[in-house]
């Protein structure tokens, strides 16, 4: 499968626990994005990387959230001390920047987080 | 403020009827506009983007800078068009997407 993959697909945790999600982008894609989607809303941007560099972080991303892309390939998103408000679908997307036009983002299936 | 507005949460039409999903945006600069679609139990996927100026699955969308709109249209809806549709924008050099709330299109037989 050459699409964007995310693991796990579902995660149930108790409030206060830490969780980590992984995203594997399409190979050769140099940009990787994280979004969060709650019920009835469109995806909201969290952060993105170009290669290893984290270029932008949303104000939505509190200091409990951290994302890494250490080798410019896969990325992890960690949430520390989870809260019930963190329950959402976490989406990853990747793209290939080039050609002077806006990159087309390809989305993964998402990780659904439920915080009890 | 950068914002995308989709005024209809649900649009229900009969098969063969014309469809128009509305999208208005607010952006300082030259945005790129997109329509993404999510079919039941599938991932979000790109339907079309304004710079391509092409028709995908019979859908078209025209960027109206004067009205800051990017409405999605199809002359004859099909049952397989039933899905969630999201309008989104980014800067002209890409980067983060700003999404609308989405419109659920239901095409009845």
């Amino acid at each position: 499968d050459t699409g964007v993959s995310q693991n796990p697909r579902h995660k149930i945790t108790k409030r206060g626990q830490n969780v980590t999600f992984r995203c594997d982008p399409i190979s050769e894609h140099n940009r990787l994005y994280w979004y969060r989607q709650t019920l009835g809303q469109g995806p909201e941007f969290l952060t993105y990387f170009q290669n290893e560099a984290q270029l932008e972080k949303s104000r939505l991303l509190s200091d409990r959230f951290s994302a890494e892309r250490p080798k410019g390939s896969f990325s992890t998103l960690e949430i520390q001390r989870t809260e019930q408000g963190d329950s959402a679908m976490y989406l990853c997307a990747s793209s290939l920047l080039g050609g002077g036009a806006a990159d087309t983002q390809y989305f993964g299936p998402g990780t659904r987080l439920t915080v009890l | 403020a950068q914002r995308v507005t989709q005024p209809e949460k649900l649009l229900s039409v009969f098969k063969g009827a014309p469809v128009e999903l509305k999208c208005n945006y607010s952006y300082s600069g030259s945005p790129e506009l997109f329509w993404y679609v999510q079919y039941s139990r599938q991932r979000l996927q790109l339907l079309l983007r304004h710079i391509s100026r092409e028709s995908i699955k019979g859908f078209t969308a025209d960027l109206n800078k004067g009205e800051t709109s990017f409405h999605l249209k199809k002359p004859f809806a099909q049952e397989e068009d039933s899905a969630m549709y999201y309008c989104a924008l980014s800067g002209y050099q890409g980067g983060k997407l700003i999404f609308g709330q989405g419109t659920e299109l239901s095409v009845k037989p």
Side-chain angles (χ1 to χ4, degrees), chain B residues 13 31 41 48 51 54 56 72 74 105:
Chain B
V13 301
R41 290 187 291 278
L48 54 80
I51 62 170
E54 56 187 348
I56 305 293
L72 184 68
K74 185 170 183 177
L105 175 63

Side-chain angles (χ1 to χ4, degrees), chain A residues 3-4 31 33 35 37 40-43 45 48 56 97 100-105 107-109, chain B residues 9 32 34 36 38 43-44 46 49 51 86 90-97 99-102:
Chain A
V4 177
R31 281 191 168 178
Y33 300 81
Y35 295 85
Q37 186 174 22
Q41 303 295 318
F45 169 77
Y48 88 97
E56 187 174 353
L97 178 67
D103 44 326
T104 295
Q105 296 182 29
F107 283 80
Chain B
K9 289 190 79 73
E32 296 274 359
F34 305 82
Y36 277 81
Q38 188 166 28
R43 64 185 67 189
L44 203 56
L46 179 69
R49 52 192 296 176
I51 62 170
Y86 295 96
S90 74
Y92 77 98
Q93 287 186 326
K96 67 184 179 188
L97 286 169
F99 285 87
Q101 290 188 310

Side-chain angles (χ1 to χ4, degrees), chain A residues 33 35 43-45 56 102-105 107, chain B residues 1-6 23-36 46 48-50 63 68-70 86-101:
Chain A
Y33 300 81
Y35 295 85
E44 294 176 297
F45 169 77
E56 187 174 353
D103 44 326
T104 295
Q105 296 182 29
F107 283 80
Chain B
Q2 302 171 3
R3 186 170 58 246
V4 175
T5 303
Q6 294 179 249
C23 172
N24 289 91
Y25 66 91
S26 173
Y27 189 82
S28 55
S30 298
E32 296 274 359
L33 274 296
F34 305 82
W35 277 98
Y36 277 81
L46 179 69
L48 54 80
R49 52 192 296 176
H50 88 271
L63 180 59
T68 59
S69 68
F70 188 56
Y86 295 96
C87 182
L89 68 77
S90 74
Y92 77 98
Q93 287 186 326
K96 67 184 179 188
L97 286 169
I98 298 169
F99 285 87
Q101 290 188 310

